[in-house]
């Protein structure tokens, strides 16, 4: 099985606008993914780390990337194909509650 990194984007307003039954079903789906071995978590406040040319580390608060929606959470899932991974995340809270989920194939390190 291949591994995929998922990044969920969403905000409270979109979540609140989504029917409670749809949200509950999405949370139940997340529970099934976790029981099957997925790793998931809610995003905290990020920092940026740099150590260009190994000359000294700098750390800044805040995210490097920007988007219309804030990062809501991350996950690592296993699936046979990217199409299967897409199907799995299509039923998660960020996907159904007016947000979006990115699916990134996790490549092996050289």
């Amino acid at each position: 099985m291949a591994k995929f990194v998922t990044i969920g984007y969403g905000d409270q307003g979109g979540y609140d606008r989504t029917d409670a039954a749809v949200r509950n079903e999405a949370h139940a789906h997340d529970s099934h993914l976790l029981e099957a071995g997925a790793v998931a978590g809610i995003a905290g406040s990020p920092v940026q780390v740099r150590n260009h040319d190994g000359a000294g580390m700098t750390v800044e608060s805040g995210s490097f990337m920007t988007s219309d929606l804030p990062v809501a959470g991350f996950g690592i899932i296993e699936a046979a194909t990217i199409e299967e991974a897409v199907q799995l995340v299509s039923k998660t809270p960020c996907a159904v509650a007016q947000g979006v989920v990115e699916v990134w194939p996790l490549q092996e390190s050289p």
Side-chain angles (χ1 to χ4, degrees):
M1 290 281 235
K3 290 187 180 181
F4 298 87
V5 173
T6 65
I7 306 171
Y9 299 83
D11 61 13
Q12 191 66 47
Y15 183 84
D16 291 342
R17 286 192 307 275
T18 303
D19 183 85
V22 172
R23 293 191 318 242
N24 291 339
E25 189 174 317
H27 287 292
H29 179 74
D30 264 6
S31 293
H32 293 302
L33 289 176
L34 291 170
E35 289 169 7
V39 177
I42 296 171
S45 299
V47 296
Q48 299 175 39
V49 180
R50 291 177 176 79
N51 188 6
H52 296 174
D53 299 319
M57 180 182 64
T58 62
V59 178
E60 296 176 46
S61 295
S63 63
F64 180 71
M65 300 183 300
T66 61
S67 72
D68 292 337
L69 294 169
V71 173
F74 301 94
I76 298 175
I77 62 171
E78 289 188 353
T81 64
I82 194 164
E83 292 82 9
E84 181 184 350
V86 166
Q87 286 298 317
L88 289 172
V89 302
S90 71
K91 298 174 184 162
T92 61
C94 281
V96 302
Q98 318 308 311
V100 63
V101 180
E102 292 180 338
V103 178
W104 294 63
L106 187 58
Q107 306 281 323
E108 299 256 345
S109 296

